[in-house]
Coordinates of all heavy atoms in Angstrom, one line a residue:
M1 N 26.7 -14.3 -6.8 CA 27.3 -14.1 -5.5 C 28.8 -14.5 -5.6 O 29.1 -15.6 -5.9 CB 26.6 -14.9 -4.4 CG 25.3 -14.3 -4.1 SD 24.1 -14.4 -5.5 CE 24.0 -16.1 -5.9
T2 N 29.6 -13.6 -5.3 CA 31.0 -13.9 -5.7 C 31.9 -14.0 -4.6 O 31.7 -13.6 -3.5 CB 31.5 -12.7 -6.6 OG1 32.8 -13.0 -6.9 CG2 31.4 -11.4 -5.8
T3 N 33.0 -14.7 -4.9 CA 34.1 -14.6 -3.9 C 34.9 -13.4 -4.1 O 35.8 -13.0 -3.3 CB 35.0 -15.9 -4.2 OG1 35.5 -15.8 -5.5 CG2 34.3 -17.1 -4.0
L4 N 34.7 -12.7 -5.3 CA 35.4 -11.5 -5.6 C 37.0 -11.7 -5.5 O 37.7 -10.8 -5.0 CB 35.0 -10.3 -4.8 CG 33.6 -9.8 -5.3 CD1 33.0 -8.8 -4.3 CD2 33.6 -9.3 -6.7
D5 N 37.4 -12.8 -5.8 CA 38.8 -13.2 -6.0 C 39.1 -13.5 -7.4 O 38.2 -13.6 -8.2 CB 39.2 -14.4 -5.1 CG 39.2 -14.0 -3.6 OD1 39.6 -12.9 -3.3 OD2 38.9 -14.9 -2.8
Q6 N 40.4 -13.7 -7.7 CA 40.7 -14.2 -9.0 C 40.9 -15.7 -9.0 O 41.5 -16.3 -8.1 CB 42.0 -13.6 -9.5 CG 42.4 -14.0 -10.9 CD 43.4 -13.0 -11.5 OE1 43.2 -11.8 -11.5 NE2 44.5 -13.6 -11.9
H7 N 40.2 -16.4 -9.9 CA 40.3 -17.8 -9.9 C 40.5 -18.3 -11.4 O 40.0 -17.6 -12.3 CB 39.0 -18.5 -9.4 CG 38.7 -18.2 -8.0 ND1 39.3 -19.0 -7.0 CD2 38.0 -17.3 -7.4 CE1 38.9 -18.5 -5.8 NE2 38.1 -17.5 -6.0
D8 N 41.0 -19.5 -11.5 CA 41.0 -20.1 -12.8 C 39.6 -20.9 -12.9 O 39.2 -21.5 -12.0 CB 42.1 -21.2 -12.9 CG 43.4 -20.5 -13.0 OD1 43.6 -19.4 -13.5 OD2 44.4 -21.1 -12.4
S9 N 39.0 -20.7 -14.1 CA 37.7 -21.4 -14.3 C 38.0 -22.8 -14.7 O 38.6 -23.0 -15.7 CB 36.9 -20.7 -15.3 OG 35.9 -21.5 -15.8
A10 N 37.5 -23.8 -13.9 CA 37.7 -25.2 -14.3 C 36.9 -25.5 -15.6 O 37.3 -26.3 -16.4 CB 37.2 -26.1 -13.2
A11 N 35.9 -24.7 -15.8 CA 35.0 -25.0 -17.0 C 35.7 -24.6 -18.3 O 35.5 -25.3 -19.3 CB 33.7 -24.4 -16.8
T12 N 36.3 -23.5 -18.3 CA 36.8 -22.9 -19.5 C 38.3 -22.8 -19.6 O 38.9 -22.6 -20.6 CB 36.2 -21.5 -19.7 OG1 36.7 -20.7 -18.7 CG2 34.7 -21.6 -19.6
G13 N 39.0 -22.9 -18.5 CA 40.4 -22.7 -18.4 C 40.8 -21.2 -18.4 O 42.0 -20.8 -18.3
E14 N 39.8 -20.3 -18.5 CA 40.1 -18.9 -18.5 C 40.3 -18.5 -17.0 O 39.8 -19.1 -16.1 CB 38.8 -18.1 -19.0 CG 38.6 -18.3 -20.5 CD 37.3 -17.5 -20.8 OE1 37.5 -16.3 -21.0 OE2 36.3 -18.1 -20.9
T15 N 41.0 -17.4 -16.9 CA 41.2 -16.8 -15.6 C 40.3 -15.6 -15.5 O 40.5 -14.6 -16.3 CB 42.7 -16.4 -15.3 OG1 43.4 -17.6 -15.4 CG2 42.8 -15.8 -14.0
W16 N 39.4 -15.6 -14.6 CA 38.5 -14.4 -14.5 C 38.8 -13.8 -13.1 O 38.8 -14.5 -12.1 CB 37.0 -14.9 -14.6 CG 36.6 -15.4 -15.9 CD1 37.2 -15.0 -17.1 CD2 35.6 -16.3 -16.1 NE1 36.5 -15.7 -18.1 CE2 35.5 -16.5 -17.5 CE3 34.7 -17.0 -15.3 CZ2 34.6 -17.4 -18.1 CZ3 33.8 -17.8 -15.9 CH2 33.7 -18.0 -17.3
S17 N 38.8 -12.5 -13.1 CA 38.9 -11.8 -11.9 C 37.5 -11.3 -11.5 O 36.9 -10.6 -12.3 CB 39.8 -10.6 -12.0 OG 39.7 -9.8 -10.9
C18 N 37.0 -11.8 -10.4 CA 35.7 -11.3 -9.9 C 35.7 -9.8 -9.7 O 34.7 -9.2 -9.7 CB 35.3 -12.0 -8.6 SG 35.1 -13.8 -8.8
Q19 N 36.9 -9.3 -9.5 CA 37.0 -7.8 -9.2 C 36.9 -7.0 -10.5 O 36.8 -5.8 -10.4 CB 38.3 -7.5 -8.5 CG 38.3 -8.1 -7.1 CD 39.7 -8.1 -6.4 OE1 40.7 -8.3 -7.0 NE2 39.7 -7.7 -5.1
T20 N 36.8 -7.6 -11.6 CA 36.4 -6.9 -12.9 C 35.1 -7.4 -13.4 O 34.8 -7.2 -14.6 CB 37.5 -7.0 -13.9 OG1 37.7 -8.4 -14.3 CG2 38.8 -6.4 -13.5
C21 N 34.3 -8.1 -12.5 CA 33.1 -8.7 -13.0 C 31.9 -8.2 -12.1 O 31.3 -7.2 -12.4 CB 33.2 -10.2 -13.0 SG 31.7 -11.0 -13.6
G22 N 31.6 -9.0 -11.1 CA 30.5 -8.6 -10.2 C 29.1 -9.0 -10.7 O 28.1 -8.7 -10.1
A23 N 29.1 -9.7 -11.8 CA 27.8 -10.0 -12.5 C 26.9 -10.8 -11.5 O 25.7 -10.5 -11.5 CB 28.0 -10.8 -13.8
C24 N 27.4 -11.8 -10.8 CA 26.5 -12.6 -10.0 C 26.0 -11.8 -8.8 O 25.0 -12.2 -8.1 CB 27.2 -13.8 -9.5 SG 28.8 -13.6 -8.6
C25 N 26.6 -10.7 -8.4 CA 26.1 -9.8 -7.3 C 25.0 -8.9 -7.8 O 24.5 -8.1 -7.0 CB 27.2 -9.1 -6.7 SG 28.6 -10.1 -6.2
A26 N 24.7 -8.9 -9.1 CA 23.8 -7.9 -9.7 C 22.9 -8.6 -10.7 O 22.5 -8.1 -11.7 CB 24.5 -6.8 -10.4
F27 N 22.6 -9.9 -10.4 CA 21.8 -10.7 -11.3 C 20.4 -10.9 -10.8 O 19.4 -10.9 -11.6 CB 22.4 -12.1 -11.5 CG 21.7 -13.0 -12.4 CD1 21.7 -12.8 -13.8 CD2 20.9 -14.0 -11.9 CE1 21.0 -13.6 -14.6 CE2 20.2 -14.9 -12.7 CZ 20.2 -14.7 -14.1
S28 N 20.2 -11.2 -9.6 CA 18.9 -11.4 -9.0 C 18.8 -11.1 -7.5 O 19.7 -11.5 -6.8 CB 18.5 -12.9 -9.2 OG 17.3 -13.2 -8.5
A29 N 17.8 -10.5 -7.1 CA 17.6 -10.2 -5.7 C 17.4 -11.5 -4.9 O 17.5 -11.5 -3.7 CB 16.4 -9.3 -5.5
E30 N 17.1 -12.6 -5.6 CA 16.8 -13.9 -4.9 C 18.1 -14.6 -4.6 O 18.1 -15.6 -3.9 CB 15.9 -14.7 -5.8 CG 14.5 -14.2 -5.9 CD 13.9 -13.8 -4.6 OE1 13.9 -14.7 -3.7 OE2 13.4 -12.7 -4.4
W31 N 19.2 -14.1 -5.2 CA 20.5 -14.9 -5.0 C 21.2 -14.7 -3.7 O 21.6 -15.7 -3.1 CB 21.4 -14.6 -6.2 CG 21.1 -15.4 -7.4 CD1 19.9 -16.0 -7.7 CD2 21.9 -15.7 -8.5 NE1 19.9 -16.6 -8.9 CE2 21.1 -16.5 -9.4 CE3 23.2 -15.4 -8.8 CZ2 21.7 -16.9 -10.7 CZ3 23.8 -15.9 -10.1 CH2 23.0 -16.6 -10.9
P32 N 21.4 -13.5 -3.2 CA 22.1 -13.4 -1.9 C 21.2 -13.6 -0.7 O 21.1 -12.8 0.2 CB 22.6 -11.9 -2.0 CG 21.6 -11.2 -2.8 CD 21.1 -12.2 -3.8
R33 N 20.7 -14.8 -0.7 CA 19.7 -15.2 0.3 C 20.4 -15.9 1.5 O 21.4 -16.7 1.2 CB 18.6 -16.1 -0.3 CG 17.5 -16.5 0.6 CD 16.3 -17.1 -0.2 NE 15.7 -16.1 -1.0 CZ 14.8 -15.1 -0.6 NH1 14.6 -15.0 0.7 NH2 14.3 -14.3 -1.4
F34 N 20.0 -15.7 2.7 CA 20.7 -16.3 3.8 C 20.2 -17.8 3.9 O 19.1 -18.1 3.5 CB 20.3 -15.6 5.1 CG 20.7 -14.2 5.2 CD1 19.9 -13.2 5.6 CD2 22.0 -13.8 4.7 CE1 20.2 -11.9 5.6 CE2 22.4 -12.5 4.7 CZ 21.5 -11.5 5.1
S35 N 21.1 -18.7 4.3 CA 20.8 -20.1 4.4 C 21.3 -20.7 5.7 O 20.5 -20.9 6.6 CB 21.4 -20.8 3.2 OG 22.8 -20.6 3.1
L36 N 22.6 -20.9 5.8 CA 23.1 -21.6 6.9 C 23.6 -20.7 8.0 O 24.1 -21.1 9.0 CB 24.3 -22.5 6.5 CG 23.9 -23.5 5.4 CD1 25.2 -24.3 4.9 CD2 22.9 -24.5 5.9
E37 N 23.5 -19.4 7.8 CA 24.0 -18.4 8.7 C 23.3 -18.4 10.0 O 22.1 -18.6 10.1 CB 23.9 -17.0 8.1 CG 24.8 -16.7 6.9 CD 24.1 -17.2 5.6 OE1 23.0 -17.7 5.6 OE2 24.8 -17.0 4.6
S38 N 24.1 -18.2 11.1 CA 23.4 -18.1 12.4 C 23.0 -16.6 12.5 O 23.4 -15.7 11.7 CB 24.5 -18.4 13.5 OG 25.5 -17.4 13.5
E39 N 22.2 -16.3 13.5 CA 21.8 -14.9 13.8 C 23.1 -14.1 14.1 O 23.1 -12.9 13.6 CB 20.9 -14.8 15.0 CG 19.5 -15.4 14.6 CD 18.5 -15.1 15.8 OE1 18.8 -14.2 16.6 OE2 17.4 -15.8 15.8
A40 N 24.1 -14.7 14.7 CA 25.3 -13.9 15.0 C 26.1 -13.6 13.7 O 26.6 -12.5 13.5 CB 26.2 -14.7 15.9
D41 N 26.0 -14.5 12.7 CA 26.7 -14.3 11.4 C 26.0 -13.1 10.8 O 26.7 -12.2 10.2 CB 26.5 -15.5 10.5 CG 27.3 -16.7 11.0 OD1 28.4 -16.5 11.7 OD2 27.0 -17.8 10.7
I42 N 24.7 -13.1 10.7 CA 24.0 -12.0 10.0 C 24.2 -10.7 10.8 O 24.3 -9.7 10.1 CB 22.5 -12.4 9.9 CG1 22.3 -13.7 9.0 CG2 21.6 -11.3 9.4 CD1 20.9 -14.3 9.0
A43 N 24.3 -10.8 12.1 CA 24.5 -9.5 12.9 C 25.8 -8.9 12.5 O 26.0 -7.7 12.7 CB 24.4 -9.8 14.3
R44 N 26.7 -9.6 12.0 CA 28.1 -9.1 11.7 C 28.0 -8.3 10.4 O 28.9 -7.5 10.1 CB 29.1 -10.2 11.6 CG 29.7 -10.6 13.0 CD 30.9 -11.5 12.9 NE 30.5 -12.8 12.6 CZ 30.2 -13.7 13.6 NH1 30.3 -13.4 14.8 NH2 29.9 -15.0 13.2
I45 N 27.0 -8.5 9.6 CA 26.9 -7.8 8.3 C 26.3 -6.4 8.6 O 25.3 -6.3 9.4 CB 25.9 -8.6 7.3 CG1 26.5 -10.0 7.1 CG2 25.8 -7.8 6.0 CD1 25.5 -10.9 6.3
P46 N 26.8 -5.4 8.1 CA 26.3 -4.0 8.4 C 24.8 -4.0 8.1 O 24.3 -4.4 7.0 CB 27.1 -3.1 7.4 CG 28.4 -3.8 7.3 CD 28.1 -5.3 7.3
A47 N 24.0 -3.5 9.0 CA 22.5 -3.6 8.9 C 22.0 -3.0 7.7 O 20.9 -3.4 7.2 CB 21.9 -3.0 10.2
V48 N 22.7 -1.9 7.2 CA 22.2 -1.2 6.0 C 22.1 -2.1 4.8 O 21.3 -1.9 3.9 CB 23.0 0.0 5.8 CG1 24.5 -0.4 5.3 CG2 22.4 0.9 4.7
H49 N 22.9 -3.2 4.9 CA 22.9 -4.2 3.7 C 22.1 -5.4 3.9 O 22.1 -6.4 3.1 CB 24.3 -4.6 3.4 CG 25.2 -3.4 2.9 ND1 24.8 -2.6 1.9 CD2 26.4 -2.9 3.4 CE1 25.7 -1.7 1.7 NE2 26.7 -1.8 2.6
V50 N 21.3 -5.5 5.0 CA 20.5 -6.7 5.3 C 19.1 -6.3 5.2 O 18.6 -5.3 5.7 CB 20.8 -7.1 6.8 CG1 19.9 -8.3 7.2 CG2 22.3 -7.6 6.9
D51 N 18.4 -7.2 4.5 CA 16.9 -7.1 4.4 C 16.3 -8.3 5.2 O 16.1 -9.4 4.8 CB 16.5 -7.3 2.9 CG 15.0 -7.0 2.7 OD1 14.2 -7.2 3.7 OD2 14.6 -6.7 1.6
D52 N 16.1 -7.9 6.5 CA 15.6 -9.0 7.4 C 14.3 -9.6 7.0 O 14.1 -10.8 7.1 CB 15.4 -8.4 8.8 CG 16.7 -8.3 9.6 OD1 17.5 -9.3 9.5 OD2 16.9 -7.3 10.3
A53 N 13.4 -8.8 6.5 CA 12.1 -9.3 6.1 C 12.2 -10.3 5.0 O 11.4 -11.3 4.9 CB 11.2 -8.2 5.8
A54 N 13.1 -10.1 4.1 CA 13.2 -10.9 2.9 C 14.2 -12.1 3.2 O 14.3 -13.0 2.4 CB 13.7 -10.1 1.7
G55 N 15.0 -12.0 4.3 CA 15.9 -13.1 4.6 C 17.1 -13.1 3.7 O 17.6 -14.2 3.3
R56 N 17.6 -12.0 3.3 CA 18.7 -11.9 2.3 C 19.4 -10.6 2.4 O 18.9 -9.7 3.2 CB 18.2 -12.1 0.9 CG 17.1 -11.1 0.5 CD 16.9 -11.2 -1.0 NE 15.7 -10.5 -1.5 CZ 15.5 -9.2 -1.5 NH1 16.4 -8.4 -1.1 NH2 14.3 -8.7 -2.0
M57 N 20.4 -10.4 1.6 CA 21.0 -9.1 1.5 C 20.0 -8.1 0.9 O 19.2 -8.5 0.1 CB 22.2 -9.2 0.6 CG 23.4 -10.1 1.2 SD 24.0 -9.5 2.7 CE 24.9 -8.0 2.1
R58 N 20.1 -6.8 1.3 CA 19.3 -5.8 0.7 C 19.7 -5.6 -0.7 O 20.9 -5.7 -1.1 CB 19.5 -4.5 1.5 CG 18.5 -3.4 1.0 CD 18.7 -2.2 1.9 NE 18.6 -2.4 3.3 CZ 17.5 -2.6 4.0 NH1 16.3 -2.6 3.3 NH2 17.5 -2.8 5.3
C59 N 18.8 -5.5 -1.6 CA 19.0 -5.3 -3.0 C 18.3 -4.1 -3.5 O 17.3 -3.7 -3.0 CB 18.6 -6.5 -3.8 SG 19.5 -8.0 -3.5
V60 N 18.9 -3.5 -4.5 CA 18.3 -2.4 -5.2 C 18.1 -2.9 -6.6 O 19.0 -3.1 -7.4 CB 19.2 -1.1 -5.3 CG1 18.6 0.0 -6.1 CG2 19.6 -0.7 -3.9
G61 N 16.8 -3.2 -6.9 CA 16.5 -4.0 -8.1 C 17.2 -5.3 -8.0 O 16.9 -6.0 -7.0
D62 N 18.0 -5.7 -8.9 CA 18.6 -7.1 -8.8 C 20.0 -7.0 -8.2 O 20.7 -8.0 -8.1 CB 18.8 -7.6 -10.3 CG 17.4 -8.1 -10.8 OD1 16.5 -8.4 -10.1 OD2 17.3 -8.0 -12.1
R63 N 20.4 -5.8 -7.8 CA 21.8 -5.6 -7.4 C 21.9 -5.6 -5.8 O 21.2 -4.8 -5.2 CB 22.4 -4.3 -8.0 CG 23.8 -4.0 -7.5 CD 24.3 -2.7 -8.2 NE 25.5 -2.3 -7.6 CZ 26.6 -1.9 -8.3 NH1 26.6 -1.9 -9.6 NH2 27.7 -1.5 -7.7
C64 N 22.8 -6.4 -5.3 CA 23.1 -6.4 -3.9 C 23.7 -5.0 -3.5 O 24.5 -4.5 -4.2 CB 24.1 -7.5 -3.6 SG 24.6 -7.5 -1.8
S65 N 23.1 -4.5 -2.4 CA 23.6 -3.1 -2.0 C 25.0 -3.1 -1.5 O 25.6 -2.0 -1.4 CB 22.6 -2.6 -0.9 OG 22.7 -3.3 0.3
A66 N 25.6 -4.3 -1.2 CA 27.0 -4.3 -0.8 C 28.0 -4.3 -1.9 O 29.2 -4.1 -1.7 CB 27.2 -5.6 0.1
L67 N 27.5 -4.4 -3.1 CA 28.4 -4.4 -4.3 C 28.8 -3.0 -4.6 O 27.9 -2.1 -4.7 CB 27.7 -5.1 -5.5 CG 28.6 -5.1 -6.7 CD1 29.8 -6.1 -6.5 CD2 27.8 -5.5 -8.0
V68 N 30.0 -2.7 -4.7 CA 30.5 -1.4 -5.1 C 31.2 -1.5 -6.4 O 31.7 -2.5 -6.8 CB 31.4 -0.8 -4.0 CG1 30.7 -0.5 -2.7 CG2 32.6 -1.6 -3.8
G69 N 31.1 -0.4 -7.2 CA 31.8 -0.3 -8.5 C 30.8 -0.6 -9.6 O 29.6 -0.7 -9.5
E70 N 31.4 -0.8 -10.8 CA 30.7 -0.9 -12.0 C 30.8 -2.4 -12.5 O 31.9 -2.8 -12.7 CB 31.2 0.0 -13.1 CG 30.4 0.0 -14.4 CD 31.0 1.0 -15.4 OE1 31.7 2.0 -15.0 OE2 30.7 0.8 -16.6
V71 N 29.7 -3.0 -12.7 CA 29.7 -4.4 -13.2 C 30.4 -4.5 -14.5 O 30.2 -3.7 -15.4 CB 28.2 -4.9 -13.3 CG1 28.3 -6.3 -14.0 CG2 27.6 -5.0 -12.0
G72 N 31.3 -5.5 -14.6 CA 32.1 -5.7 -15.8 C 33.3 -4.8 -15.9 O 34.0 -4.9 -16.9
S73 N 33.6 -4.1 -14.9 CA 34.7 -3.1 -15.0 C 35.6 -3.2 -13.7 O 36.7 -3.6 -13.8 CB 34.2 -1.7 -15.2 OG 35.2 -0.8 -15.2
D74 N 35.0 -2.8 -12.6 CA 35.8 -2.7 -11.4 C 34.8 -2.8 -10.2 O 34.0 -1.9 -9.9 CB 36.5 -1.3 -11.3 CG 37.3 -1.1 -10.1 OD1 37.6 -2.1 -9.4 OD2 37.7 0.0 -9.8
T75 N 34.8 -4.0 -9.6 CA 33.8 -4.2 -8.5 C 34.5 -4.8 -7.3 O 35.6 -5.3 -7.3 CB 32.7 -5.2 -9.0 OG1 33.4 -6.4 -9.5 CG2 31.9 -4.6 -10.1
A76 N 33.8 -4.7 -6.2 CA 34.2 -5.2 -4.9 C 33.0 -5.5 -4.0 O 32.0 -4.8 -4.1 CB 35.2 -4.3 -4.2
C77 N 33.1 -6.4 -3.1 CA 32.1 -6.7 -2.1 C 32.5 -5.9 -0.9 O 33.6 -6.1 -0.3 CB 32.0 -8.1 -1.8 SG 31.0 -8.5 -0.4
S78 N 31.7 -5.0 -0.4 CA 32.0 -4.1 0.7 C 31.9 -4.8 2.0 O 32.2 -4.3 3.1 CB 31.2 -2.8 0.7 OG 29.8 -3.1 0.8
V79 N 31.3 -6.0 2.0 CA 31.2 -6.8 3.2 C 31.9 -8.2 3.1 O 31.4 -9.2 3.7 CB 29.7 -7.0 3.6 CG1 29.0 -5.6 3.9 CG2 28.9 -7.8 2.6
Y80 N 32.9 -8.2 2.3 CA 33.6 -9.4 1.9 C 33.9 -10.4 3.1 O 33.6 -11.6 3.0 CB 34.9 -9.1 1.2 CG 35.6 -10.3 0.7 CD1 35.2 -10.9 -0.5 CD2 36.7 -10.8 1.4 CE1 35.9 -12.0 -1.0 CE2 37.4 -11.9 0.9 CZ 37.0 -12.5 -0.3 OH 37.7 -13.6 -0.8
A81 N 34.4 -9.9 4.2 CA 34.8 -10.7 5.3 C 33.6 -11.4 6.0 O 33.8 -12.4 6.6 CB 35.6 -9.9 6.3
V82 N 32.4 -10.8 5.8 CA 31.2 -11.3 6.5 C 30.1 -11.7 5.5 O 29.0 -11.8 5.9 CB 30.7 -10.3 7.6 CG1 31.8 -10.2 8.7 CG2 30.4 -9.0 7.0
R83 N 30.5 -11.9 4.3 CA 29.4 -12.1 3.2 C 28.7 -13.4 3.5 O 29.3 -14.3 4.2 CB 30.1 -12.1 1.8 CG 31.1 -13.3 1.6 CD 32.0 -13.0 0.4 NE 32.8 -14.1 0.1 CZ 33.9 -14.5 0.7 NH1 34.2 -13.9 1.9 NH2 34.6 -15.5 0.3
P84 N 27.5 -13.6 3.0 CA 26.7 -14.8 3.2 C 27.4 -16.1 2.6 O 28.2 -16.0 1.8 CB 25.4 -14.5 2.5 CG 25.3 -13.0 2.4 CD 26.8 -12.6 2.2
E85 N 26.9 -17.2 3.1 CA 27.4 -18.5 2.7 C 27.3 -18.7 1.2 O 28.1 -19.2 0.5 CB 26.7 -19.6 3.4 CG 26.9 -19.7 4.9 CD 28.4 -20.0 5.2 OE1 29.0 -20.7 4.4 OE2 28.8 -19.5 6.3
V86 N 26.1 -18.3 0.6 CA 25.9 -18.5 -0.8 C 27.0 -17.7 -1.6 O 27.4 -18.2 -2.7 CB 24.5 -18.1 -1.2 CG1 24.3 -16.5 -1.1 CG2 24.1 -18.5 -2.6
C87 N 27.4 -16.6 -1.1 CA 28.4 -15.9 -1.8 C 29.8 -16.6 -1.8 O 30.6 -16.5 -2.7 CB 28.6 -14.5 -1.2 SG 27.0 -13.6 -1.2
R88 N 30.0 -17.2 -0.6 CA 31.3 -18.0 -0.5 C 31.3 -19.2 -1.4 O 32.3 -19.7 -1.8 CB 31.5 -18.4 1.0 CG 31.6 -17.2 1.9 CD 31.5 -17.7 3.4 NE 31.4 -16.5 4.2 CZ 32.4 -15.8 4.7 NH1 33.6 -16.2 4.4 NH2 32.2 -14.7 5.5
A89 N 30.1 -19.8 -1.6 CA 30.0 -21.0 -2.4 C 30.2 -20.8 -3.9 O 30.6 -21.7 -4.6 CB 28.7 -21.7 -2.1
C90 N 29.8 -19.6 -4.4 CA 29.9 -19.4 -5.8 C 31.3 -19.3 -6.3 O 32.1 -18.6 -5.7 CB 29.1 -18.1 -6.1 SG 28.9 -17.8 -7.9
E91 N 31.6 -20.0 -7.4 CA 32.9 -20.0 -7.9 C 32.9 -19.6 -9.4 O 32.0 -20.0 -10.1 CB 33.5 -21.4 -7.8 CG 33.8 -21.9 -6.4 CD 35.0 -21.2 -5.8 OE1 35.8 -20.7 -6.6 OE2 35.2 -21.3 -4.6
P92 N 33.9 -18.9 -9.8 CA 34.0 -18.6 -11.2 C 34.0 -19.8 -12.1 O 34.6 -20.8 -11.8 CB 35.4 -17.9 -11.4 CG 35.6 -17.3 -10.0 CD 35.0 -18.3 -9.1
G93 N 33.1 -19.8 -13.1 CA 33.0 -20.9 -14.0 C 31.9 -21.9 -13.6 O 31.6 -22.8 -14.4
D94 N 31.3 -21.7 -12.5 CA 30.2 -22.6 -12.2 C 28.9 -22.1 -12.9 O 28.9 -21.1 -13.5 CB 30.0 -22.8 -10.7 CG 29.4 -21.5 -9.9 OD1 28.9 -20.7 -10.6 OD2 29.6 -21.5 -8.7
P95 N 27.9 -22.9 -12.9 CA 26.7 -22.6 -13.8 C 26.1 -21.3 -13.4 O 25.7 -20.5 -14.3 CB 25.7 -23.8 -13.5 CG 26.6 -24.9 -13.1 CD 27.8 -24.3 -12.3
E96 N 26.0 -20.9 -12.2 CA 25.4 -19.6 -11.8 C 26.3 -18.5 -12.3 O 25.8 -17.4 -12.7 CB 25.3 -19.5 -10.3 CG 24.2 -20.5 -9.7 CD 24.7 -21.9 -9.6 OE1 25.9 -22.1 -9.7 OE2 23.9 -22.8 -9.4
C97 N 27.6 -18.6 -12.2 CA 28.5 -17.6 -12.7 C 28.3 -17.4 -14.2 O 28.2 -16.3 -14.6 CB 30.0 -18.1 -12.4 SG 31.3 -17.2 -13.3
L98 N 28.3 -18.5 -14.9 CA 28.1 -18.4 -16.4 C 26.8 -17.7 -16.7 O 26.7 -16.9 -17.7 CB 28.3 -19.8 -17.0 CG 29.6 -20.5 -16.8 CD1 29.6 -21.9 -17.4 CD2 30.8 -19.6 -17.4
M99 N 25.8 -18.1 -16.0 CA 24.4 -17.5 -16.3 C 24.5 -16.0 -16.0 O 24.0 -15.2 -16.8 CB 23.4 -18.1 -15.3 CG 22.0 -17.7 -15.6 SD 20.8 -18.4 -14.4 CE 21.4 -20.1 -14.2
A100 N 25.1 -15.6 -14.9 CA 25.1 -14.1 -14.6 C 26.0 -13.4 -15.6 O 25.7 -12.3 -16.0 CB 25.7 -14.0 -13.2
R101 N 27.1 -14.0 -15.9 CA 28.0 -13.3 -16.9 C 27.3 -13.2 -18.2 O 27.5 -12.1 -18.9 CB 29.4 -14.1 -17.0 CG 30.3 -13.9 -15.8 CD 31.6 -14.6 -16.0 NE 32.3 -14.1 -17.1 CZ 33.2 -13.1 -17.1 NH1 33.4 -12.4 -16.0 NH2 33.8 -12.8 -18.2
A102 N 26.7 -14.2 -18.7 CA 26.0 -14.1 -20.0 C 24.9 -13.0 -19.9 O 24.7 -12.3 -20.9 CB 25.3 -15.5 -20.3
H103 N 24.2 -12.9 -18.8 CA 23.2 -11.9 -18.7 C 23.8 -10.5 -18.9 O 23.1 -9.6 -19.5 CB 22.5 -12.0 -17.3 CG 21.6 -10.9 -17.0 ND1 20.3 -10.9 -17.5 CD2 21.7 -9.8 -16.2 CE1 19.7 -9.8 -17.0 NE2 20.5 -9.1 -16.3
W104 N 25.0 -10.3 -18.4 CA 25.6 -9.0 -18.5 C 26.5 -8.9 -19.7 O 27.2 -7.9 -19.9 CB 26.5 -8.8 -17.2 CG 25.6 -8.3 -16.1 CD1 25.1 -9.1 -15.1 CD2 25.3 -7.0 -15.8 NE1 24.4 -8.3 -14.2 CE2 24.5 -7.0 -14.6 CE3 25.5 -5.7 -16.4 CZ2 23.9 -5.8 -14.1 CZ3 25.0 -4.6 -15.8 CH2 24.2 -4.6 -14.7
G105 N 26.5 -9.9 -20.6 CA 27.3 -9.8 -21.8 C 28.7 -9.9 -21.6 O 29.5 -9.4 -22.4
L106 N 29.1 -10.7 -20.5 CA 30.5 -10.8 -20.2 C 31.1 -12.2 -20.6 O 30.3 -13.1 -20.7 CB 30.7 -10.5 -18.7 CG 30.3 -9.2 -18.2 CD1 30.3 -9.1 -16.7 CD2 31.2 -8.1 -18.8
Ligands
SF4_201 S1 29.9 -13.9 -12.1 FE1 31.6 -15.3 -11.9 S2 33.5 -14.2 -12.4 FE2 31.8 -12.7 -12.1 S3 32.0 -12.1 -10.0 FE3 30.6 -13.8 -10.0 S4 31.8 -15.7 -9.7 FE4 33.2 -13.9 -10.2
SF4_202 S1 27.3 -9.8 -0.2 FE1 29.1 -9.3 -1.5 S2 29.5 -11.2 -2.6 FE2 27.4 -11.4 -1.8 S3 26.0 -10.7 -3.4 FE3 26.5 -8.9 -2.1 S4 28.3 -7.9 -3.0 FE4 28.1 -10.0 -3.9

């Protein structure tokens, strides 16, 4: 779950652009899960991208339906301004980021 911004990775010193990655948005359907959001927060996310029964973003396989573009090439979050808390918390270079990137061979 990405900030989809460009950041310096504290872990590696590399600069990664989430906009050429997107790996964490297509790693596991269990990742973009709602946590601290209020009902109003969730209501701001376009309903087509919300899986109410599962309590998370809607996913197609392991990929969040709000992710647009091609993983590892050119990606964006189509609900960036209203994305879940877990997506805001994920930072390039953190353990989850490294796991997702490794999964995608990035
Ligand atoms: S895996 Fe890391 S670099 Fe890639 S989009 Fe997520 S936070 Fe950004
Ligand atoms: S809501 Fe946006 S940032 Fe979060 S997993 Fe989906 S595409 Fe990624």
Side-chain angles (χ1 to χ4, degrees):
M1 289 62 61
T2 180
T3 60
L4 288 170
D5 285 329
Q6 183 164 305
H7 294 275
D8 294 324
S9 163
T12 66
E14 292 179 82
T15 299
W16 294 333
S17 170
C18 294
Q19 291 169 319
T20 60
C21 179
C24 57
C25 306
F27 178 75
S28 169
E30 296 306 311
W31 279 21
R33 187 165 288 287
F34 302 133
S35 54
L36 304 175
E37 292 82 3
S38 66
E39 288 189 17
D41 292 335
I42 295 172
R44 280 190 279 272
I45 302 171
V48 68
H49 294 306
V50 174
D51 187 336
D52 277 319
R56 57 167 165 74
M57 296 297 289
R58 187 176 307 283
C59 292
V60 179
D62 289 330
R63 177 177 170 135
C64 175
S65 66
L67 182 68
V68 295
E70 184 178 340
V71 173
S73 175
D74 182 15
T75 53
C77 172
S78 64
V79 300
Y80 183 78
V82 293
R83 68 199 186 284
E85 293 296 331
V86 66
C87 307
R88 298 171 190 272
C90 187
E91 291 285 345
D94 71 17
E96 292 78 14
C97 165
L98 297 177
M99 188 187 314
R101 285 182 60 88
H103 174 77
W104 280 95
L106 300 171

